[in-house]
Amino acid sequence: DAKTTQPTSMDCAEGRAANLPCNHSTISGNEYVYWYRQIHSQGPQYIIHGLKNNETNEMASLIITEDRKSSTLILPHATLRDTAVYYCIVRADSTGNQFYFGTGTSLTVIP
Amino acid sequence: DSGVTQTPKHLITATGQRVTLRCSPRSGDLSVYWYQQSLDQGLQFLIHYYNGEERAKGNILERFSAQQFPDLHSELNLSSLELGDSALYFCASSLDRERWLGEQYFGPGTRLTVT
């Protein structure tokens, strides 16, 4: 599975959009980009995933560059409850492949 | 609430002992994954079971073993425990319909403390 690179930490003002970048320059054609977050010591929570096209759901938007070498997770209106560690993961669409969570980005939403 | 349950919530035991952690996946999910999260190692994938069969192994020690039962619940067995095994152990489940993996739903975790 491709490796990902994320900034260690970011701050965002409450009510503003939080844009979390992820680099995955060695991504393969069959690998999806997944985003999860972990609030304190709770179990990680799935946010969104995509292959090529941009995706949006009730939690966030995922923007994947045309060459698929990087992506951005967008939380449109960050709240204090969005303070968490955000993990970007790339994984092939096939059972038997592992999930590598990496170190993630610690997002702090500031009042 | 993800729908994944894990028991016990907390476990304190001594070095050399053996413990069993239990996970019940979401209704209908066929896959169960186990992860270990310690302060210095981050979230590490241990093992994946799909419909009772082992599908992938990660950084799982030989002292650890897992299985998935016909009712799809899973158990992670940790033996000859060492201080370094102290960690949060998470279980996750997913539908895994053929080759579409989809998202994983994580349980609340079991905090293991080895003294």
Side-chain angles (χ1 to χ4, degrees):
Chain A
D1 287 333
K3 297 272 190 239
T4 62
T5 304
Q6 298 177 253
T8 304
S9 63
M10 292 179 64
D11 292 338
C12 176
E14 188 178 17
R16 303 299 292 269
N19 296 284
L20 292 92
C22 179
N23 285 321
H24 30 80
S25 58
T26 60
I27 193 169
S28 301
N30 64 341
E31 288 182 314
Y32 284 73
V33 180
Y34 289 81
W35 283 84
Y36 281 74
R37 72 180 182 184
Q38 187 174 24
I39 297 172
H40 195 44
S41 294
Q42 297 177 24
Q45 178 189 23
Y46 165 81
I47 300 173
I48 199 167
H49 77 281
L51 182 63
K52 294 180 185 177
N53 301 319
N54 298 338
E55 301 287 345
T56 295
N57 62 20
E58 64 279 3
M59 287 183 69
S61 295
L62 173 60
I63 308 298
I64 302 174
T65 58
E66 195 167 337
D67 63 7
R68 303 208 325 121
K69 293 186 176 183
S70 65
S71 60
T72 301
L73 178 75
I74 301 172
L75 308 178
H77 305 287
T79 71
L80 298 179
R81 287 178 293 182
D82 292 322
T83 293
V85 177
Y86 287 77
Y87 298 98
C88 168
I89 304 150
V90 292
R91 180 178 172 176
D93 178 24
S94 171
T95 59
N97 288 324
Q98 302 182 20
F99 247 39
Y100 293 99
F101 274 78
T103 53
T105 296
S106 178
L107 175 70
T108 302
V109 180
I110 302 168
Chain B
D1 183 2
S2 66
V4 177
T5 60
Q6 289 188 246
T7 56
K9 198 170 183 178
H10 300 279
L11 197 50
I12 301 174
T13 189
T15 53
Q17 295 298 305
R18 173 189 170 95
V19 297
T20 297
L21 312 183
R22 183 187 168 104
C23 168
S24 292
R26 291 189 321 155
S27 176
D29 283 357
L30 300 178
S31 267
V32 169
Y33 306 79
W34 285 97
Y35 294 85
Q36 178 194 55
Q37 187 171 36
S38 55
L39 281 173
D40 57 346
Q41 293 283 331
L43 200 59
Q44 301 278 317
F45 167 76
L46 294 178
I47 198 163
H48 168 208
Y49 276 85
Y50 173 74
N51 205 19
E53 293 186 5
E54 182 185 302
R55 283 301 182 97
K57 259 187 177 178
N59 302 317
I60 187 166
L61 300 172
E62 285 191 12
R63 299 183 286 109
F64 296 180
S65 64
Q67 57 185 134
Q68 186 179 26
F69 295 87
D71 67 353
L72 301 177
H73 91 270
S74 178
E75 293 180 355
L76 179 67
N77 300 297
L78 315 176
S79 61
S80 303
L81 284 167
E82 302 175 359
L83 295 177
D85 298 328
S86 296
L88 265 171
Y89 290 85
F90 289 106
C91 161
S93 74
S94 70
L95 181 57
D96 268 10
R97 183 172 48 215
E98 295 195 354
R99 291 181 65 82
W100 179 75
L101 196 58
E103 58 264 35
Q104 296 184 17
Y105 294 87
F106 281 75
T110 292
R111 183 174 292 279
L112 173 67
T113 302
V114 182
T115 61

